Amino acid sequence: MADIQYTIYPMDGLGHYFEVELLILHPNPFGQKIQMPNWIPGSYMTRDFSKHILSIHAFGQDQHQALKEPLHLLQTNSDTWEIEAVQGPVIIKTKVYAFDNSVRTAFLDTERGFLNFSSVCLQVVGQTQKPIDCVIEQTALTRGWEVVTTLPSVKIDKHGFGKYTVAQYDALIDHPVSMGRFVKISWNSYGIPHQIVFQGTAENLNLPLLKADLKAICDTHIAFFDPNHHVTPFNQYIFHVNVVGNGYGGLEHRASTALICKRSDLPYAAQSPQAEDLKAYQDFLGLCSHEYFHSWMVKKVQPLAFQPYRLNQRNYTKLLWLFEGFTSYYDDLQLLRSARIDLKTYLKRLLDTHHQVMRNPGRHHQSVAQSSFDAWTKYYLMDENTPNAVVSYYAKGSLIAFALDLLIRDFSNQTKSLDDVMRAVWQEHGAYGDQVGVGLTENGFDKMITKSLGSSFRPLWIGFKAAYIDGTQDIDVVELLQSTGIALTPKKLTIAEKLQQSLGLRIQSQDGFVKVTHVLESYLGQQAGLCPNDLIVALNHEKVSVTNFSHLLARHCHQKVKLSIFRGDLLHHLTLQLPSQSALQEERMNSYLLAND
Ligand SMILES: [Zn+2]
């Protein structure tokens, strides 16, 4: 029996809580500390999981494993408790609320359960390196349910309830658990068992298509990192999918990923998909591809700054442009290479990413290195000023990978590519099983570039990095594509669309009027005095809504118009000078299409 054992009871589907017992066989005799993590690796935001502990009690245990008198627990901060000094084993009983329907925490209702152990299991301070047994118990709630997890099992029943074991706490929190009823698909990729399991209503899915697509993607990734032997860093892999009406996201783990997607993102058996559905399904496959790539890149190859993860403080690295951005580059590229999308679709997706980066002025103020470092307070805590202040290390990071790939191909006369660098990084910094690789220092990628491409590439890399990674220079995707012979043409926008762009406002409908959510710096909207949260109710005495706003603007080109707005509960009037049609014609917009499309 391991020194540390967690027993999880999925107890109350109506009150949404798990009961968790933590048995510590050898507590620190001078007083054992226990602590809830306050973030989960892969999602760089302080989440204070301890806030969902409904009750916590500690007890001694006698030699017959019966509970003794309650022990005194001193809470020393939001996450930490200290158990009074005691000889012999102790048991800590907690009730933990779980009703977050995301991939990052835990959830329990009468139909399903999902948990990341970082949301429900206290760390035993000073003993987090020790092996752990974890028992998932059947309760009245879970009759007819099944447990799906990549946790290594010791003794489980046919439904997956029972005892599991892991080498240490870090491993425990890297194997999420789904419970309930599932639609499942299984396949082997290079001999390794893979599964995708769907929860939520997911009837009539096109299972053969999903299986063929996912197998092709997984095969491509495995062959990418190990073209000769096809050895994977895991010995099984599970995609946990929570299917909902509206939602999108994923979180990577060492042998699995937890995904959330819209029901309409998935393919159905009795339906020939429309273009819109196809795009949504490609996005879903892109998400699967992204999280799967992470099994190598960030779960095994890691920033040194994440070794080990310190779960009660922010862990800072300037390398998320690499770990998230390059992963974003390869997620779509691998869809192309596995023939799940064609070249035209791939290029359209690349142009979408380019547009996504170019539409936010924040790219002039923040580098992707800085954006990585500040992820905790900026990218993950978006607010009304985010488009003016933040660049996405995902989106720009993927464009950086694209530009670097072309640069390497050009430099090497097409004999090398970014693939060679990524494989070299994997060989030098990767690992198998429960190990992680030698951590990548903040300058570690520079060394790998030189090692893979020779010192003659170094000056090019230094200039490239200074401009695009540590600096804020735009990646000119349009020029790069054109240099490879791909013809592009500016997207034709109507006057109304151009006017709306020149205002630099992000809007949404509220109470039938136009609510301003974001005001982009230096655009006409800001110059006219509009602020985030303003409610535009009229333009020259005419009521505005999100449907007529741009048409009303177009009717008043080259004029001064009066905007009536509510700011808070007070009515204001602002004057907005609209540009002329000819000025708009000349304005360069950042939207491009493939020529001949
Ligand atoms: Zn990612």
Side-chain angles (χ1 to χ4, degrees):
M1 185 177 181
D3 272 8
I4 293 168
Q5 180 172 315
Y6 297 94
T7 308
I8 313 286
Y9 300 89
M11 194 53 82
D12 189 335
L14 298 174
H16 314 292
Y17 65 82
F18 290 93
E19 287 184 4
V20 182
E21 282 181 14
L22 162 58
L23 169 65
I24 309 170
L25 283 186
H26 302 290
N28 183 335
F30 302 104
Q32 177 65 54
K33 281 186 184 168
I34 47 179
Q35 191 170 45
M36 277 307 270
N38 60 25
W39 67 285
I40 180 168
S43 186
Y44 307 105
M45 181 174 160
T46 304
R47 293 181 193 275
D48 293 322
F49 298 129
S50 62
K51 73 180 176 185
H52 291 311
I53 294 182
L54 300 172
S55 65
I56 178 166
H57 301 284
F59 304 88
Q61 195 190 46
D62 67 20
Q63 64 268 47
H64 307 295
Q65 298 184 356
L67 291 187
K68 295 199 290 195
E69 292 294 293
L71 298 172
H72 182 66
L73 264 180
L74 175 68
Q75 185 169 11
T76 54
N77 64 33
S78 308
D79 314 315
T80 314
W81 289 260
E82 194 170 327
I83 309 165
E84 68 172 275
V86 65
Q87 299 297 319
V90 297
I91 287 187
I92 298 95
K93 294 187 170 210
T94 48
K95 271 189 192 177
V96 188
Y97 178 72
F99 198 56
D100 172 22
N101 204 10
S102 83
V103 295
R104 306 175 206 103
T105 57
F107 181 88
L108 187 65
D109 72 2
T110 53
E111 295 186 355
R112 64 180 284 267
F114 173 76
L115 61 91
N116 289 290
F117 288 100
S118 43
S119 280
V120 298
C121 288
L122 291 149
Q123 304 164 83
V124 181
V125 176
Q127 303 196 43
T128 53
Q129 305 298 315
K130 287 187 173 176
I132 290 171
D133 287 342
C134 178
V135 178
I136 302 174
E137 289 283 2
Q138 276 273 19
T139 62
L141 174 66
T142 62
R143 282 203 193 99
W145 286 16
E146 202 183 328
V147 172
V148 173
T149 180
T150 47
L151 273 176
S153 61
V154 177
K155 190 177 179 206
I156 55 174
D157 67 18
K158 64 179 180 183
H159 303 295
F161 290 91
K163 188 169 173 180
Y164 296 85
T165 190
V166 283
Q168 57 187 56
Y169 187 84
D170 254 11
L172 180 71
I173 66 169
D174 213 13
H175 292 284
V177 175
S178 298
M179 302 173 203
R181 295 176 179 85
F182 300 89
V183 173
K184 291 183 182 176
I185 308 171
S186 305
W187 70 94
N188 279 348
S189 279
Y190 290 107
I192 299 294
H194 285 61
Q195 266 198 333
I196 185 164
V197 300
F198 296 94
Q199 285 192 296
T201 308
E203 288 156 7
N204 304 321
L205 287 176
N206 188 338
L207 302 180
L209 179 68
L210 278 158
K211 180 174 173 171
D213 286 344
L214 287 163
K215 177 172 164 46
I217 292 164
C218 295
D219 287 354
T220 304
H221 282 291
I222 294 170
F224 173 82
F225 280 106
D226 188 352
N228 298 321
H229 306 292
H230 307 125
V231 179
T232 55
F234 39 76
N235 56 21
Q236 62 164 323
Y237 193 90
I238 296 178
F239 296 87
H240 299 254
V241 189
N242 179 19
V243 186
V244 296
N246 196 7
Y248 178 84
L251 191 60
E252 67 274 13
H253 299 284
R254 64 185 64 187
S256 63
T257 177
L259 308 174
I260 187 162
C261 77
K262 280 194 219 171
R263 206 155 286 122
S264 55
D265 291 344
L266 299 172
Y268 292 88
Q271 175 193 339
S272 50
Q274 306 297 307
E276 200 179 301
D277 305 326
L278 213 54
K279 163 85 171 64
Y281 180 48
Q282 286 158 358
D283 288 346
F284 173 74
L285 292 179
L287 179 64
C288 293
S289 176
H290 180 97
E291 304 304 345
Y292 194 71
F293 194 85
H294 271 317
S295 314
W296 287 263
M297 197 64 190
V298 94
K299 296 314 308 189
K300 294 296 175 192
V301 179
Q302 296 189 310
L304 184 60
F306 289 174
Q307 293 184 343
Y309 289 119
R310 278 138 296 148
L311 298 169
N312 292 83
Q313 65 188 72
R314 292 170 179 156
N315 293 197
Y316 296 101
T317 176
K318 287 190 170 180
L319 293 177
L320 295 182
W321 55 268
L322 171 63
F323 286 94
E324 289 298 347
F326 282 35
T327 300
S328 298
Y329 175 58
Y330 278 101
D331 63 28
D332 272 0
L333 191 58
Q334 299 287 62
L335 294 188
L336 174 67
R337 288 172 172 176
S338 59
R340 299 307 102 185
I341 58 175
D342 59 16
L343 179 63
K344 199 162 117 181
T345 307
Y346 172 75
L347 292 170
K348 279 186 187 172
R349 293 175 72 85
L350 183 67
L351 286 171
D352 282 349
T353 306
H354 172 242
H355 181 60
Q356 199 186 322
V357 173
M358 298 297 279
R359 70 200 286 261
N360 290 333
R363 71 185 199 279
H364 300 307
H365 303 300
Q366 194 190 40
S367 67
V368 287
Q370 193 63 39
S371 179
S372 301
F373 196 84
D374 286 337
W376 298 85
T377 50
K378 294 196 173 177
Y379 188 82
Y380 268 89
L381 292 179
M382 292 192 185
D383 60 25
E384 73 287 347
N385 199 42
T386 295
N388 292 325
V390 175
V391 66
S392 163
Y393 49 77
Y394 285 88
K396 189 175 173 190
S398 78
L399 301 183
I400 287 169
F402 168 68
L404 180 60
D405 200 357
L406 291 188
L407 187 67
I408 295 169
R409 286 165 192 267
D410 191 44
F411 167 82
S412 67
N413 289 323
Q414 311 298 323
T415 60
K416 290 201 166 179
S417 72
L418 186 59
D419 296 358
D420 297 293
V421 179
M422 299 308 286
R423 278 192 282 268
V425 168
W426 168 245
Q427 278 154 21
E428 188 120 346
H429 294 275
Y432 295 92
D434 266 341
Q435 306 298 313
V436 289
V438 177
L440 202 63
T441 64
E442 295 294 290
N443 294 320
F445 191 67
D446 307 48
K447 288 181 196 140
M448 291 313 303
I449 287 267
T450 309
K451 196 164 179 179
S452 315
L453 302 167
S455 53
S456 55
F457 188 76
R458 195 172 157 73
L460 279 178
W461 166 247
I462 287 173
F464 183 92
K465 190 182 179 197
Y468 304 115
I469 295 169
D470 293 325
T472 58
Q473 207 166 307
D474 287 333
I475 301 281
D476 197 336
V477 171
V478 174
E479 193 189 294
L480 286 171
L481 282 174
Q482 283 170 338
S483 76
T484 65
I486 291 161
L488 300 174
T489 178
K491 189 175 176 184
K492 284 203 173 61
L493 298 177
T494 63
I495 288 294
E497 285 169 328
K498 282 197 166 189
L499 260 175
Q500 194 150 0
Q501 278 203 17
S502 65
L503 250 57
L505 300 176
R506 306 264 156 85
I507 58 173
Q508 65 186 37
S509 182
Q510 183 178 304
D511 304 330
F513 298 109
V514 172
K515 159 99 177 270
V516 177
T517 57
H518 304 83
V519 179
L520 302 189
E521 68 171 17
S522 309
Y523 283 76
L524 294 178
Q526 190 185 58
Q527 286 161 13
L530 283 160
C531 296
N533 300 322
D534 283 351
L535 189 68
I536 307 174
V537 295
L539 187 153
N540 286 356
H541 311 293
E542 220 172 311
K543 185 192 168 189
V544 296
S545 67
V546 288
T547 44
N548 74 358
F549 189 44
S550 56
H551 298 286
L552 274 178
L553 292 169
R555 267 177 23 210
H556 295 88
C557 264
H558 211 22
Q559 292 175 17
K560 275 187 180 155
V561 295
K562 187 169 88 172
L563 290 181
S564 303
I565 61 156
F566 275 104
R567 183 168 297 162
D569 58 348
L570 296 179
L571 187 65
H572 294 251
H573 301 288
L574 302 174
T575 305
L576 172 67
Q577 172 68 59
L578 293 172
S580 66
Q581 288 213 14
S582 54
L584 283 170
Q585 301 288 14
E586 281 167 26
E587 198 161 327
R588 191 186 155 196
M589 298 294 173
N590 288 315
S591 306
Y592 281 81
L593 297 173
L594 297 176
N596 315 317
D597 187 28

PDB file of all heavy atoms in Angstrom, residues 361-372 374-375 378-379 389-392 396 471-472:
ATOM      1  N   PRO A 361      -4.446  46.057 -32.182  1.00  0.00           N
ATOM      2  CA  PRO A 361      -3.284  46.948 -32.050  1.00  0.00           C
ATOM      3  C   PRO A 361      -2.327  46.527 -30.936  1.00  0.00           C
ATOM      4  O   PRO A 361      -1.188  46.990 -30.907  1.00  0.00           O
ATOM      5  CB  PRO A 361      -3.907  48.308 -31.699  1.00  0.00           C
ATOM      6  CG  PRO A 361      -5.357  48.190 -32.002  1.00  0.00           C
ATOM      7  CD  PRO A 361      -5.717  46.746 -31.927  1.00  0.00           C
ATOM      8  N   GLY A 362      -2.752  45.655 -30.043  1.00  0.00           N
ATOM      9  CA  GLY A 362      -1.881  45.187 -28.961  1.00  0.00           C
ATOM     10  C   GLY A 362      -0.584  44.596 -29.483  1.00  0.00           C
ATOM     11  O   GLY A 362       0.429  44.592 -28.790  1.00  0.00           O
ATOM     12  N   ARG A 363      -0.602  44.124 -30.737  1.00  0.00           N
ATOM     13  CA  ARG A 363       0.610  43.519 -31.304  1.00  0.00           C
ATOM     14  C   ARG A 363       1.736  44.539 -31.444  1.00  0.00           C
ATOM     15  O   ARG A 363       2.900  44.168 -31.553  1.00  0.00           O
ATOM     16  CB  ARG A 363       0.291  42.879 -32.662  1.00  0.00           C
ATOM     17  CG  ARG A 363       0.024  43.866 -33.776  1.00  0.00           C
ATOM     18  CD  ARG A 363      -0.408  43.161 -35.053  1.00  0.00           C
ATOM     19  NE  ARG A 363      -0.243  44.005 -36.225  1.00  0.00           N
ATOM     20  CZ  ARG A 363      -1.106  44.941 -36.606  1.00  0.00           C
ATOM     21  NH1 ARG A 363      -2.211  45.158 -35.900  1.00  0.00           N
ATOM     22  NH2 ARG A 363      -0.864  45.662 -37.679  1.00  0.00           N
ATOM     23  N   HIS A 364       1.408  45.845 -31.473  1.00  0.00           N
ATOM     24  CA  HIS A 364       2.459  46.870 -31.560  1.00  0.00           C
ATOM     25  C   HIS A 364       3.122  47.115 -30.205  1.00  0.00           C
ATOM     26  O   HIS A 364       4.165  47.740 -30.125  1.00  0.00           O
ATOM     27  CB  HIS A 364       1.874  48.207 -32.041  1.00  0.00           C
ATOM     28  CG  HIS A 364       1.246  48.135 -33.392  1.00  0.00           C
ATOM     29  ND1 HIS A 364       1.907  47.633 -34.493  1.00  0.00           N
ATOM     30  CD2 HIS A 364       0.008  48.502 -33.820  1.00  0.00           C
ATOM     31  CE1 HIS A 364       1.096  47.698 -35.549  1.00  0.00           C
ATOM     32  NE2 HIS A 364      -0.057  48.208 -35.162  1.00  0.00           N
ATOM     33  N   HIS A 365       2.478  46.689 -29.143  1.00  0.00           N
ATOM     34  CA  HIS A 365       2.943  47.058 -27.801  1.00  0.00           C
ATOM     35  C   HIS A 365       3.541  45.905 -27.015  1.00  0.00           C
ATOM     36  O   HIS A 365       4.252  46.117 -26.042  1.00  0.00           O
ATOM     37  CB  HIS A 365       1.781  47.635 -26.982  1.00  0.00           C
ATOM     38  CG  HIS A 365       1.137  48.805 -27.644  1.00  0.00           C
ATOM     39  ND1 HIS A 365       1.838  49.948 -27.943  1.00  0.00           N
ATOM     40  CD2 HIS A 365      -0.124  48.996 -28.100  1.00  0.00           C
ATOM     41  CE1 HIS A 365       1.018  50.804 -28.547  1.00  0.00           C
ATOM     42  NE2 HIS A 365      -0.167  50.248 -28.658  1.00  0.00           N
ATOM     43  N   GLN A 366       3.174  44.687 -27.393  1.00  0.00           N
ATOM     44  CA  GLN A 366       3.630  43.550 -26.600  1.00  0.00           C
ATOM     45  C   GLN A 366       4.256  42.517 -27.525  1.00  0.00           C
ATOM     46  O   GLN A 366       3.678  42.166 -28.556  1.00  0.00           O
ATOM     47  CB  GLN A 366       2.433  42.929 -25.856  1.00  0.00           C
ATOM     48  CG  GLN A 366       2.845  41.974 -24.762  1.00  0.00           C
ATOM     49  CD  GLN A 366       1.668  41.193 -24.203  1.00  0.00           C
ATOM     50  OE1 GLN A 366       0.781  40.763 -24.945  1.00  0.00           O
ATOM     51  NE2 GLN A 366       1.653  41.001 -22.895  1.00  0.00           N
ATOM     52  N   SER A 367       5.438  42.024 -27.144  1.00  0.00           N
ATOM     53  CA  SER A 367       6.063  40.950 -27.918  1.00  0.00           C
ATOM     54  C   SER A 367       5.465  39.619 -27.466  1.00  0.00           C
ATOM     55  O   SER A 367       4.861  39.535 -26.389  1.00  0.00           O
ATOM     56  CB  SER A 367       7.572  40.944 -27.670  1.00  0.00           C
ATOM     57  OG  SER A 367       7.825  40.567 -26.326  1.00  0.00           O
ATOM     58  N   VAL A 368       5.670  38.577 -28.261  1.00  0.00           N
ATOM     59  CA  VAL A 368       5.146  37.269 -27.836  1.00  0.00           C
ATOM     60  C   VAL A 368       5.927  36.725 -26.638  1.00  0.00           C
ATOM     61  O   VAL A 368       5.382  35.961 -25.837  1.00  0.00           O
ATOM     62  CB  VAL A 368       5.135  36.230 -28.983  1.00  0.00           C
ATOM     63  CG1 VAL A 368       4.033  36.539 -29.979  1.00  0.00           C
ATOM     64  CG2 VAL A 368       6.482  36.095 -29.649  1.00  0.00           C
ATOM     65  N   ALA A 369       7.200  37.126 -26.503  1.00  0.00           N
ATOM     66  CA  ALA A 369       7.967  36.699 -25.323  1.00  0.00           C
ATOM     67  C   ALA A 369       7.349  37.314 -24.067  1.00  0.00           C
ATOM     68  O   ALA A 369       7.133  36.641 -23.057  1.00  0.00           O
ATOM     69  CB  ALA A 369       9.427  37.112 -25.468  1.00  0.00           C
ATOM     70  N   GLN A 370       7.016  38.604 -24.162  1.00  0.00           N
ATOM     71  CA  GLN A 370       6.408  39.284 -23.013  1.00  0.00           C
ATOM     72  C   GLN A 370       5.001  38.748 -22.750  1.00  0.00           C
ATOM     73  O   GLN A 370       4.595  38.569 -21.602  1.00  0.00           O
ATOM     74  CB  GLN A 370       6.364  40.797 -23.283  1.00  0.00           C
ATOM     75  CG  GLN A 370       6.042  41.632 -22.058  1.00  0.00           C
ATOM     76  CD  GLN A 370       7.091  41.502 -20.960  1.00  0.00           C
ATOM     77  OE1 GLN A 370       8.283  41.439 -21.243  1.00  0.00           O
ATOM     78  NE2 GLN A 370       6.648  41.414 -19.716  1.00  0.00           N
ATOM     79  N   SER A 371       4.270  38.489 -23.831  1.00  0.00           N
ATOM     80  CA  SER A 371       2.915  37.951 -23.688  1.00  0.00           C
ATOM     81  C   SER A 371       2.942  36.602 -22.969  1.00  0.00           C
ATOM     82  O   SER A 371       2.072  36.295 -22.146  1.00  0.00           O
ATOM     83  CB  SER A 371       2.273  37.812 -25.068  1.00  0.00           C
ATOM     84  OG  SER A 371       0.981  37.288 -24.969  1.00  0.00           O
ATOM     85  N   SER A 372       3.980  35.802 -23.269  1.00  0.00           N
ATOM     86  CA  SER A 372       4.140  34.513 -22.584  1.00  0.00           C
ATOM     87  C   SER A 372       4.333  34.733 -21.089  1.00  0.00           C
ATOM     88  O   SER A 372       3.673  34.109 -20.257  1.00  0.00           O
ATOM     89  CB  SER A 372       5.375  33.776 -23.122  1.00  0.00           C
ATOM     90  OG  SER A 372       5.271  33.546 -24.502  1.00  0.00           O
ATOM     91  N   ASP A 374       3.609  37.279 -19.280  1.00  0.00           N
ATOM     92  CA  ASP A 374       2.456  37.930 -18.643  1.00  0.00           C
ATOM     93  C   ASP A 374       1.155  37.152 -18.808  1.00  0.00           C
ATOM     94  O   ASP A 374       0.085  37.676 -18.494  1.00  0.00           O
ATOM     95  CB  ASP A 374       2.247  39.331 -19.246  1.00  0.00           C
ATOM     96  CG  ASP A 374       3.300  40.322 -18.769  1.00  0.00           C
ATOM     97  OD1 ASP A 374       3.886  40.087 -17.703  1.00  0.00           O
ATOM     98  OD2 ASP A 374       3.522  41.324 -19.472  1.00  0.00           O
ATOM     99  N   ALA A 375       1.242  35.916 -19.318  1.00  0.00           N
ATOM    100  CA  ALA A 375       0.018  35.140 -19.588  1.00  0.00           C
ATOM    101  C   ALA A 375      -0.915  35.127 -18.376  1.00  0.00           C
ATOM    102  O   ALA A 375      -2.138  35.233 -18.513  1.00  0.00           O
ATOM    103  CB  ALA A 375       0.383  33.710 -19.970  1.00  0.00           C
ATOM    104  N   LYS A 378      -2.476  38.747 -18.180  1.00  0.00           N
ATOM    105  CA  LYS A 378      -2.994  39.432 -19.371  1.00  0.00           C
ATOM    106  C   LYS A 378      -3.779  38.490 -20.280  1.00  0.00           C
ATOM    107  O   LYS A 378      -4.992  38.605 -20.391  1.00  0.00           O
ATOM    108  CB  LYS A 378      -1.848  40.120 -20.109  1.00  0.00           C
ATOM    109  CG  LYS A 378      -1.268  41.249 -19.258  1.00  0.00           C
ATOM    110  CD  LYS A 378      -0.417  42.220 -20.026  1.00  0.00           C
ATOM    111  CE  LYS A 378      -0.044  43.392 -19.116  1.00  0.00           C
ATOM    112  NZ  LYS A 378       0.843  44.336 -19.784  1.00  0.00           N
ATOM    113  N   TYR A 379      -3.094  37.532 -20.926  1.00  0.00           N
ATOM    114  CA  TYR A 379      -3.817  36.683 -21.880  1.00  0.00           C
ATOM    115  C   TYR A 379      -4.960  35.937 -21.188  1.00  0.00           C
ATOM    116  O   TYR A 379      -6.050  35.801 -21.735  1.00  0.00           O
ATOM    117  CB  TYR A 379      -2.855  35.697 -22.563  1.00  0.00           C
ATOM    118  CG  TYR A 379      -3.527  34.953 -23.685  1.00  0.00           C
ATOM    119  CD1 TYR A 379      -3.660  35.534 -24.947  1.00  0.00           C
ATOM    120  CD2 TYR A 379      -4.095  33.704 -23.473  1.00  0.00           C
ATOM    121  CE1 TYR A 379      -4.320  34.879 -25.964  1.00  0.00           C
ATOM    122  CE2 TYR A 379      -4.755  33.042 -24.489  1.00  0.00           C
ATOM    123  CZ  TYR A 379      -4.864  33.633 -25.734  1.00  0.00           C
ATOM    124  OH  TYR A 379      -5.536  32.978 -26.732  1.00  0.00           O
ATOM    125  N   ALA A 389      -3.663  45.881 -25.828  1.00  0.00           N
ATOM    126  CA  ALA A 389      -2.511  45.674 -24.948  1.00  0.00           C
ATOM    127  C   ALA A 389      -1.815  44.332 -25.132  1.00  0.00           C
ATOM    128  O   ALA A 389      -0.671  44.177 -24.725  1.00  0.00           O
ATOM    129  CB  ALA A 389      -2.969  45.802 -23.485  1.00  0.00           C
ATOM    130  N   VAL A 390      -2.502  43.373 -25.743  1.00  0.00           N
ATOM    131  CA  VAL A 390      -2.000  41.997 -25.713  1.00  0.00           C
ATOM    132  C   VAL A 390      -1.895  41.429 -27.124  1.00  0.00           C
ATOM    133  O   VAL A 390      -2.751  41.680 -27.969  1.00  0.00           O
ATOM    134  CB  VAL A 390      -2.952  41.109 -24.859  1.00  0.00           C
ATOM    135  CG1 VAL A 390      -2.538  39.654 -24.908  1.00  0.00           C
ATOM    136  CG2 VAL A 390      -2.969  41.603 -23.410  1.00  0.00           C
ATOM    137  N   VAL A 391      -0.822  40.668 -27.366  1.00  0.00           N
ATOM    138  CA  VAL A 391      -0.727  39.874 -28.591  1.00  0.00           C
ATOM    139  C   VAL A 391      -0.864  38.409 -28.175  1.00  0.00           C
ATOM    140  O   VAL A 391      -0.390  38.019 -27.105  1.00  0.00           O
ATOM    141  CB  VAL A 391       0.610  40.140 -29.324  1.00  0.00           C
ATOM    142  CG1 VAL A 391       1.814  39.648 -28.530  1.00  0.00           C
ATOM    143  CG2 VAL A 391       0.616  39.506 -30.712  1.00  0.00           C
ATOM    144  N   SER A 392      -1.539  37.626 -28.992  1.00  0.00           N
ATOM    145  CA  SER A 392      -1.718  36.209 -28.663  1.00  0.00           C
ATOM    146  C   SER A 392      -0.453  35.433 -29.007  1.00  0.00           C
ATOM    147  O   SER A 392      -0.029  35.415 -30.160  1.00  0.00           O
ATOM    148  CB  SER A 392      -2.901  35.638 -29.451  1.00  0.00           C
ATOM    149  OG  SER A 392      -2.839  34.225 -29.449  1.00  0.00           O
ATOM    150  N   LYS A 396       0.130  34.625 -33.019  1.00  0.00           N
ATOM    151  CA  LYS A 396       1.367  35.140 -33.615  1.00  0.00           C
ATOM    152  C   LYS A 396       2.469  34.089 -33.529  1.00  0.00           C
ATOM    153  O   LYS A 396       3.299  33.974 -34.430  1.00  0.00           O
ATOM    154  CB  LYS A 396       1.815  36.458 -32.962  1.00  0.00           C
ATOM    155  CG  LYS A 396       2.962  37.078 -33.759  1.00  0.00           C
ATOM    156  CD  LYS A 396       3.433  38.433 -33.298  1.00  0.00           C
ATOM    157  CE  LYS A 396       4.682  38.841 -34.086  1.00  0.00           C
ATOM    158  NZ  LYS A 396       5.327  40.037 -33.533  1.00  0.00           N
ATOM    159  N   GLY A 471      10.771  41.334 -30.257  1.00  0.00           N
ATOM    160  CA  GLY A 471      10.258  42.596 -30.783  1.00  0.00           C
ATOM    161  C   GLY A 471       8.815  42.446 -31.237  1.00  0.00           C
ATOM    162  O   GLY A 471       8.223  41.374 -31.111  1.00  0.00           O
ATOM    163  N   THR A 472       8.278  43.524 -31.781  1.00  0.00           N
ATOM    164  CA  THR A 472       6.847  43.520 -32.113  1.00  0.00           C
ATOM    165  C   THR A 472       6.597  43.634 -33.615  1.00  0.00           C
ATOM    166  O   THR A 472       5.504  43.991 -34.039  1.00  0.00           O
ATOM    167  CB  THR A 472       6.130  44.690 -31.405  1.00  0.00           C
ATOM    168  OG1 THR A 472       6.764  45.915 -31.807  1.00  0.00           O
ATOM    169  CG2 THR A 472       6.197  44.563 -29.898  1.00  0.00           C
TER     170      THR A 472
END
